[in-house]
Amino acid sequence: MLEDELVYVLSKDLEIKNLFVVENKNSLRFIQKLKSENLKPFVFSSDRLYPIVLENNRRSSGRFIKLFSDIPTLRQIYDSFNRKKQQKLTVVVNLLRKDLHSDIDHLQSEVYLNAREISKISDGILLFYGKCGYSSEKVQDDLQGLDCPVYFLRDDERNVVDDCVSVALGGNDVYTKTMLLGNGRGAIYATPMWLSSMNETDYKSTESYQNAKKYLSSPMYCLLFKINNHNYKDNNFHRNASEFATLFDMEIINTDGTMDIAINSYMEAKTSIYKNMEC
């Protein structure tokens, strides 16, 4: 759901040396968006990618230098190496299926299982999910027990965001204030990724439509908050929002979005990982 936000933050990070993407049926559109931002990801299936990243990390780890880092005459060399290493960031992206949101327990299970796998090759993991991806205490405990630190998307008040809508709007407080604009009426919050199923040839035959129809048939759902952000690259967004609103007899209310939470959380996680590497 936060595919566009992830493309944005990666396109702004000039320190990325290697960008790897796990190849699966969810990654094709994401890879196309990366290339449209002049990024050149290396794409492999997970069984091939993880050994490649491990080998890449070994070659640049400088363990032979670290062995002698306690010797005063070599400490300066070690510190210089670490500074150079920090400027050669490797990022691995593993996209999970968007439709996992239809079953929260399944979503949380998949988040943990994939985080556990990628923790074996990582110095840190940033989960591009709101609380819906790990709200259960068991999943949170399991994540804390992984082989590397796990970081979360947080708003300006340092609160973990509720969900992808909170990220798109700019935080939990903004989310709450936006809800109040509906005066108690039921609302759907639309981003390009949320409406991406509308790009299918026959939307009414998709699982996304069937799931939406289950609750949008209720007359209480009458508002579509369309979250506008000039950084979104989907040229079909405006058309999709209009067609969706017409299909379910909803009024469109335009509201502004932001990339602040995505970029700030990414930079915070990156800075923390660098500091841990220096210890």
Side-chain angles (χ1 to χ4, degrees):
M1 283 293 189
L2 295 174
E3 181 177 291
D4 292 314
E5 284 79 1
L6 185 52
V7 170
Y8 176 79
V9 298
L10 293 176
S11 70
K12 298 300 180 183
D13 191 349
L14 301 181
E15 293 184 350
I16 296 177
K17 180 183 180 183
N18 296 311
L19 174 58
F20 294 96
V21 177
V22 176
E23 184 178 33
N24 53 45
K25 62 181 181 181
N26 315 301
S27 62
L28 180 59
R29 177 181 51 214
F30 177 69
I31 292 167
Q32 291 173 339
K33 289 179 179 179
L34 290 175
K35 291 180 177 178
S36 72
E37 297 293 331
N38 296 317
L39 295 171
K40 299 177 181 179
F42 298 100
V43 183
F44 298 96
S45 59
S46 59
D47 59 332
R48 292 184 60 204
L49 186 150
Y50 293 165
I52 290 172
V53 175
L54 274 175
E55 180 60 26
N56 179 71
N57 288 344
R58 278 197 198 98
R59 290 177 179 177
S60 61
S61 65
R63 287 174 182 160
F64 65 98
I65 296 178
K66 191 172 182 179
L67 289 173
F68 301 100
S69 62
D70 290 333
I71 302 175
T73 56
L74 294 180
R75 181 69 201 186
Q76 187 175 358
I77 298 175
Y78 178 60
D79 290 342
S80 176
F81 173 84
N82 261 342
R83 285 192 294 271
K84 290 179 179 178
K85 183 182 176 184
Q86 289 177 11
Q87 296 172 1
K88 297 179 179 180
L89 181 67
T90 294
V91 175
V92 180
V93 178
N94 182 16
L95 288 180
L96 304 187
R97 299 197 326 269
K98 187 179 69 170
D99 59 7
L100 287 173
H101 286 74
S102 61
D103 184 335
I104 295 300
D105 289 338
H106 188 203
L107 167 63
Q108 294 183 13
S109 174
E110 286 294 302
V111 167
Y112 168 66
L113 290 175
N114 282 272
R116 184 179 66 183
E117 284 301 305
I118 210 165
S119 70
K120 299 173 183 177
I121 62 168
S122 304
D123 293 307
I125 297 172
L126 174 59
L127 290 180
F128 257 68
Y129 277 98
K131 292 178 182 176
C132 53
Y134 43 83
S135 58
S136 76
E137 290 185 6
K138 181 181 184 305
V139 174
Q140 292 182 38
D141 290 342
D142 289 342
L143 289 172
Q144 296 305 319
L146 294 180
D147 296 332
C148 67
V150 178
Y151 303 92
F152 306 95
L153 298 176
R154 297 180 182 273
D155 60 22
D156 290 343
E157 283 70 42
R158 306 297 305 140
N159 297 313
V160 175
V161 295
D162 289 333
D163 54 28
C164 57
V165 175
S166 181
V167 177
L169 287 172
N172 295 341
D173 285 348
V174 181
Y175 195 178
T176 300
K177 291 175 182 177
T178 304
M179 289 181 185
L180 295 176
L181 295 176
N183 294 318
R185 294 175 291 175
I188 294 296
Y189 301 83
T191 64
M193 282 304 300
W194 201 91
L195 292 177
S196 59
S197 296
M198 296 286 293
N199 295 327
E200 301 292 335
T201 303
D202 183 7
Y203 171 63
K204 287 188 176 181
S205 67
T206 65
E207 183 178 354
S208 176
Y209 170 76
Q210 296 302 325
N211 290 333
K213 187 178 178 182
K214 289 178 183 178
Y215 55 92
L216 293 184
S217 58
S218 169
M220 72 168 286
Y221 283 99
C222 57
L223 299 178
L224 180 70
F225 282 100
K226 180 166 163 282
I227 304 174
N228 298 301
N229 187 323
H230 70 273
N231 292 298
Y232 288 148
K233 303 298 183 182
D234 190 337
N235 295 325
N236 297 320
F237 181 41
H238 302 296
R239 184 201 69 193
N240 287 345
S242 178
E243 291 182 359
F244 188 91
T246 299
L247 185 62
F248 293 103
D249 192 24
M250 308 180 88
E251 175 190 352
I252 293 179
I253 296 180
N254 286 285
T255 186
D256 293 331
T258 177
M259 294 290 186
D260 287 353
I261 287 180
I263 192 69
N264 292 342
S265 297
Y266 175 86
M267 292 305 299
E268 183 176 317
K270 177 180 167 181
T271 300
S272 179
I273 290 170
Y274 279 171
K275 287 181 179 179
N276 290 338
M277 289 167 58
E278 292 176 355
C279 297

